[in-house]
Amino acid sequence: MLRVLSCITVEHSLPHLIFAIVICVLGSMLSMRLFTRVRRSQGLQKTNWLFLSGFVGGSTIWTTHFIAMLGYQTPVANGYEPTLTLLSLFAAVATTMIGFAIASIAQNSALIGAGGVIVGLGIAVMHYVGIAGYEIEGRLDWQTSYVVASLVLAGLFGAVATNRVCRPITRFCRHGAALSLILAIVLTHFTGMAGLTILPDTTVAAPAEIISDGIMTGLVSAVMIIILALGASTYIIDMQSTQAAVERYRHLSLHDPLTNLANRAAFNEHLSALVNKPKDMTANIAVLSFDLDRFKEINDVHGHAAGDTVLRAVAERLSRIMQNGQFVARVGGDEFVAVMCDYFRSDAKGLAQRMLDEIARPIEWNTVGSSIGISTYPGQADTLDDLLSQADIAMYRAKSTATNSICFYEPSMDQAARERNALASEMREGLARGEFELFYQQQNDTVTRGIVGLEVLLRWRHPARGYISPVEFIPIAEKTGFIIELGEWVLRAACAEAATWKNPLRIAVNVAPQQLGDNRLPQIVHQILLETGLPAARLEIEITESGIIADHQHALQAIRRLKALGVKVAMDDYGTGYSSLSTLQSFPFDKIKIDRAFVDGVVTNKQSAAIVRSTLILAASLDIPVLAEGVENEDHIDFLRREGCLQVQGFLFGKPGPRSGIEAIVNGEVPAVQQETVLAPVVKKSAVA
C-alpha cells in the first residue's frame, strides 16, 4: 500500500494526476449512465447504446492511462510506439463492449458479474499493452505480486460496477456503479505502476519512430474531449426525448381520451391539492356532481358514436365556461364532477346553473338534461371520499325532484347510507345461504381466437331483488371490510371448480386492495391451492393500481410471495392511474390488462389509440404480455392484432356467464369458438367482480 501511495504522490506530477482523475470521473459516470440505457433497450436501439457506452468507456480507460503516463516522471528519455499505443485503445474499447454486452443480456448475478470481470480485465489488458508500447532508454523491471494484484482489483471492481447498475435503481446503485469503475481504472493503473521499476541503460536506444510527449498530450486530449462531448450530447438528447415522452404519457393518463377533460385520477389529485393547500379560514370548496339524463337512450337508439358526440359536445361547453378557480373532469361514462374554491353559496349555485344551461342546449341527436348535487368543504365531510359521496347523494336527491334541478347536500339525505348498511348485513347472510355465484368470461387469442383462459366474476342473486350489480355491493363490502372474507370465498370456489375441469384453462381472479394489504393473502392462496389441488400455474391474480399505491413495499413483498408459489400476477385496469409507468418499473407483473375505457375508442379516437399503442410498446420493451378488455367488435380486434396485442376479452367473444354456460369448453367437448356463453346482466366490473 505504501509503495502504491509513493508511486502516486512521488512518481507522478500533480497537474497530470488531477487532469486524469477529472477525465476518469466524468468518463466513468457517463459510461455507466449509457450502460443503463443498454439494459433498458431492445433490438437495434440496444446495439447502438452498447456501441456508444463501450466506446466512451474504453476511451475513458485509455485516456486516463495515458494522461497519467504523461505525468510519470522517469530519469530517461521516453516516447510511445504508435502501433501498440493504438492497439491498446482498440483493446480497451473492444473488451468494454464485450463485457457490457454480456452484462446487459444476463439475468443472473453470476453472468452480470462475469461481464464486469471482462470489463475490468480489459482495463488491465489496455494498461499492459500500453506499457509495452512505452519506449525508454533502459529496461522495465516488474514485481509479479503487484501485477497480480492489479489484475485482481480490475476484475473485482469491474464486476461490482456492472452489478450495481443491474440492481433496483437507487441513488447508491447509480453512483456506486460509476465509483466502482473509477476504482477499477485507478487501482489497476497505479497498482501496476507500483510494481514497475525503470532501470536506465545507455545501451538501449529508443526507436526513431515514436510519439513524443507533446504530440501524445494533444492526441489524448483531443480524443477524450470529442468522445465525452459526443457521448454526453447523445445521452442528453435521449434523456430529453424520454422526459418529453413521459410527460406526454402522463398527460394522456390524466385526461379522458374521448373528451380531453381531466379524468378521475387528475380530479382527485386536484381536489386533494385544494384541500391541503394553506388558505384563509373563510375559504371554501364546493364539489358539483352530475351525469346526463337520457344518455342511455341516445346510445341505445343512435349507437355509441352518437353518445360519444354528445359527451364531446358537453365537455367542450363545460370547459368553455370554467373560470379561474374552477375545474371539471369526466369520471365515468356520462358522469362529471366539477370543483370550485373560494366560493359563496350563490357562486356555487350560479356555476351549477350555467352548467345546466350549457348541457340543455340542443345537440345533433337529442337534447339531454342533468341534475347537479353540491357538497361543501369544510362541512360534514371528514375525508375527500366523504365529500364526493355527499355530492353524489345530493345529485340523486336532485334527480328525484325534477330534471335540471340543483340540490345542496344535507345530513338528512344519509338515508341511503342506512340502506347500504342494511345491504352489508344481508351480504353476510347471503354468503352463508349460498346466494353468491361465479360467472366466467372468456379470454381469447387475437390470432387463433381460441380461449386462453377465463376471468372469474362475482354475482349476487338476491332472493327478493334478483341480481344485484357488483357496482352496488362491492363498494359496500370494501367499506365494511367484508371484502376480505368475500374475496377468499371467490378464490376458494374458483379454484375448486377449475380443478374439476378436463380442459386445464387458466383462471383469472380479481383481488381487492384490502385483500392485497392482508399479510395472510399468500398463505391463504397457498392453502387454497393445496386443498383444491389446482396447479399454481393455472391461477392468475389480478390487482389494480389502487391496491399498491398505499404501501408499495408491502404490495411488492406480497406479489413476490405469490409468484414464489408459481401463481401469475396481472395488473388490471392499466391506464386509469397516473403512476402506472413507475409501477411497471417496480413490480414484476406477468401481464398487463388495458382498461376497456381506452379500447372502446381505439378506432375513432386518437388519444385512446395513442394510450393503447404506447402501452403495448412499453410492455413489449419490458417483455410483459398484454390483454385488452372491452373488445366488442372486429375493428377493435383488428387494431389490437396489428399493434401486437396477443390476448383480448370482451363481448365480441361472449358475455360473462355461469358454470353451465362454459361446461362444454372446460370439459373439452366442443371447440372453444363454437361455445355460446349464457348472457349475464351487463354490469361494470369491480375490484373483485
Side-chain angles (χ1 to χ4, degrees):
M1 177 61 72
L2 292 177
R3 172 68 186 118
V4 175
L5 293 175
S6 174
C7 175
I8 296 173
T9 58
V10 177
E11 298 176 14
H12 290 78
S13 72
L14 182 60
H16 284 88
L17 281 179
I18 294 174
F19 187 29
I21 290 173
V22 170
I23 291 298
C24 184
V25 170
L26 294 178
S28 297
M29 292 180 66
L30 180 58
S31 298
M32 299 317 292
R33 283 185 176 271
L34 292 172
F35 177 56
T36 60
R37 302 297 298 170
V38 179
R39 289 281 301 180
R40 299 175 187 172
S41 304
Q42 298 290 332
L44 182 60
Q45 189 180 53
K46 187 184 189 76
T47 303
N48 292 336
W49 284 114
L50 178 61
F51 174 81
L52 186 60
S53 62
F55 198 65
V56 172
S59 300
T60 298
I61 296 166
W62 185 79
T63 51
T64 301
H65 168 83
F66 279 101
I67 291 172
M69 287 302 299
L70 289 170
Y72 186 57
Q73 299 173 351
T74 63
V76 295
N78 60 80
Y80 302 89
E81 196 277 322
T83 302
L84 289 175
T85 299
L86 292 177
L87 180 61
S88 66
L89 174 60
F90 174 79
V93 172
T95 54
T96 303
M97 285 186 186
I98 293 171
F100 279 172
I102 293 173
S104 68
I105 62 176
Q107 297 299 320
N108 62 68
S109 297
L111 282 178
I112 293 171
V117 170
I118 292 175
V119 174
L121 293 180
I123 297 172
V125 169
M126 184 287 310
H127 176 82
Y128 290 109
V129 171
I131 292 295
Y134 186 55
E135 300 291 349
I136 61 170
E137 293 180 349
R139 291 180 294 106
L140 304 179
D141 183 50
W142 294 95
Q143 293 186 41
T144 305
S145 60
Y146 284 99
V147 173
V148 172
S150 69
L151 294 175
V152 172
L153 290 171
L156 175 64
F157 283 100
V160 173
T162 52
N163 264 295
R164 288 300 90 193
V165 169
C166 300
R167 296 291 180 184
I169 299 302
T170 64
R171 180 173 296 181
F172 171 75
C173 291
R174 187 165 56 244
H175 297 319
L179 177 60
S180 298
L181 182 59
I182 293 168
L183 291 174
I185 297 171
V186 171
L187 292 177
T188 301
H189 177 86
F190 288 109
T191 303
M193 293 304 294
L196 174 63
T197 302
I198 295 179
L199 303 175
D201 188 344
T202 56
T203 64
V204 179
E209 296 183 358
I210 61 174
I211 303 174
S212 66
D213 283 1
I215 296 175
M216 195 66 182
T217 300
L219 176 63
V220 171
S221 300
V223 168
M224 199 61 226
I225 290 173
I226 293 172
I227 296 302
L228 285 178
L230 175 63
S233 61
T234 304
Y235 181 80
I236 290 171
I237 291 172
D238 179 75
M239 185 171 59
Q240 290 174 339
S241 300
T242 302
Q243 184 63 32
V246 169
E247 289 299 324
R248 174 61 177 164
Y249 196 86
R250 174 178 166 79
H251 174 82
L252 292 174
S253 297
L254 288 174
H255 288 77
D256 169 49
L258 177 64
T259 64
N260 203 35
L261 288 179
N263 61 15
R264 183 182 294 275
F267 179 80
N268 289 340
E269 185 180 80
H270 179 78
L271 184 58
S272 179
L274 287 179
V275 170
N276 295 322
K277 180 181 178 182
K279 54 177 67 71
D280 185 87
M281 293 297 291
T282 60
N284 296 292
I285 297 171
V287 173
L288 297 81
S289 178
F290 56 100
D291 57 19
L292 304 181
D293 298 336
R294 299 184 295 278
F295 181 74
K296 185 178 183 300
E297 297 176 13
I298 294 175
N299 272 335
D300 292 342
V301 175
H302 301 286
H304 288 286
D308 290 348
T309 300
V310 170
L311 290 173
R312 282 193 290 266
V314 169
E316 182 181 352
R317 296 173 183 178
L318 295 176
S319 298
R320 193 166 52 242
I321 65 172
M322 289 296 115
Q323 300 174 0
N324 186 37
Q326 300 173 357
F327 184 89
V328 65
R330 180 190 177 207
V331 295
D334 65 328
E335 300 168 9
F336 298 83
V337 182
V339 62
M340 66 182 302
C341 55
D342 299 334
Y343 80 100
F344 291 99
R345 187 180 180 91
S346 59
D347 295 330
K349 190 170 184 178
L351 174 61
Q353 189 59 57
R354 289 197 302 275
M355 290 193 297
L356 290 177
D357 292 342
E358 291 292 332
I359 293 171
R361 286 170 48 201
I363 303 176
E364 184 175 352
W365 280 275
N366 209 327
T367 299
V368 294
S370 183
S371 296
I372 298 179
I374 305 174
S375 62
T376 61
Y377 180 88
Q380 288 79 26
D382 295 323
T383 66
L384 293 182
D385 288 340
D386 290 342
L387 185 62
L388 294 171
S389 176
Q390 290 174 2
D392 287 338
I393 291 173
M395 177 188 69
Y396 290 123
R397 175 61 62 86
K399 291 170 74 72
S400 66
T401 303
T403 301
N404 296 328
S405 297
I406 300 171
C407 185
F408 282 82
Y409 169 80
E410 296 177 2
S412 60
M413 298 176 183
D414 275 336
Q415 175 63 31
R418 289 187 286 273
E419 294 176 359
R420 287 197 299 270
N421 291 335
L423 197 61
S425 176
E426 291 184 53
M427 261 196 298
R428 295 183 182 275
E429 297 171 1
L431 183 61
R433 290 194 298 260
E435 295 171 5
F436 287 92
E437 59 181 306
L438 302 182
F439 275 35
Y440 300 86
Q441 186 172 31
Q442 302 173 19
Q443 296 177 335
N444 299 76
D445 187 283
T446 57
V447 178
T448 67
R449 293 179 176 247
I451 295 181
V452 295
L454 294 165
E455 181 176 8
V456 179
L457 305 171
L458 182 63
R459 297 294 183 262
W460 182 12
R461 190 196 297 270
H462 192 277
R465 298 173 54 182
Y467 277 108
I468 299 178
S469 168
V471 175
E472 186 174 353
F473 70 79
I474 290 298
I476 298 174
E478 290 178 335
K479 189 171 184 179
T480 60
F482 181 61
I483 193 67
I484 294 180
E485 181 180 346
L486 186 60
E488 182 177 345
W489 179 88
V490 172
L491 272 169
R492 180 170 278 103
C495 291
E497 284 201 10
T500 66
W501 299 346
K502 295 179 181 179
N503 189 357
L505 292 169
R506 178 180 295 170
I507 58 169
V509 181
N510 289 270
V511 168
Q514 290 95 324
Q515 288 179 270
L516 188 63
D518 186 352
N519 291 325
R520 302 175 300 125
L521 177 63
Q523 180 182 349
I524 290 172
V525 172
H526 182 52
Q527 182 181 356
I528 289 173
L529 292 174
L530 292 177
E531 291 175 359
T532 61
L534 182 74
R538 289 182 58 195
L539 176 61
E540 181 175 273
I541 298 294
E542 295 185 0
I543 63 175
T544 59
E545 192 172 29
S546 60
I548 61 182
I549 287 177
D551 190 341
H552 270 64
Q553 282 302 115
H554 175 83
L556 182 58
Q557 291 176 5
I559 291 172
R560 285 175 174 168
R561 290 172 62 191
L562 288 170
K563 288 175 65 67
L565 299 174
V567 174
K568 304 296 182 183
V569 180
M571 182 179 186
D572 199 11
D573 297 338
Y574 182 81
T576 58
Y578 60 84
S579 60
S580 296
L581 197 60
S582 62
T583 301
L584 290 184
Q585 291 175 328
S586 305
F587 288 83
F589 292 112
D590 298 295
K591 182 184 292 184
I592 299 171
K593 296 188 71 175
I594 302 178
D595 188 71
R596 67 185 69 235
F598 302 105
V599 174
D600 186 52
V602 293
V603 179
T604 59
N605 185 272
K606 290 183 179 180
Q607 286 186 312
S608 291
I611 290 177
V612 173
R613 189 177 291 113
S614 299
T615 301
L616 291 170
I617 293 172
L618 177 63
S621 69
L622 297 173
D623 198 26
I624 303 177
V626 175
L627 181 146
E629 298 182 292
V631 174
E632 298 186 359
N633 54 57
E634 293 294 335
D635 289 339
H636 288 165
I637 197 170
D638 288 343
F639 173 89
L640 293 166
R641 189 190 302 113
R642 286 196 309 270
E643 297 298 331
C645 182
L646 300 181
Q647 298 179 15
V648 294
Q649 176 179 338
F651 290 175
L652 177 64
F653 294 97
K655 295 183 179 181
R659 165 69 184 266
S660 60
I662 60 169
E663 199 70 40
I665 293 176
V666 300
N667 289 318
E669 298 173 5
V670 297
V673 294
Q674 298 179 9
Q675 176 65 30
E676 294 181 359
T677 58
V678 177
L679 300 185
V682 179
V683 294
K684 296 181 181 177
K685 191 179 74 173
S686 69
V688 166

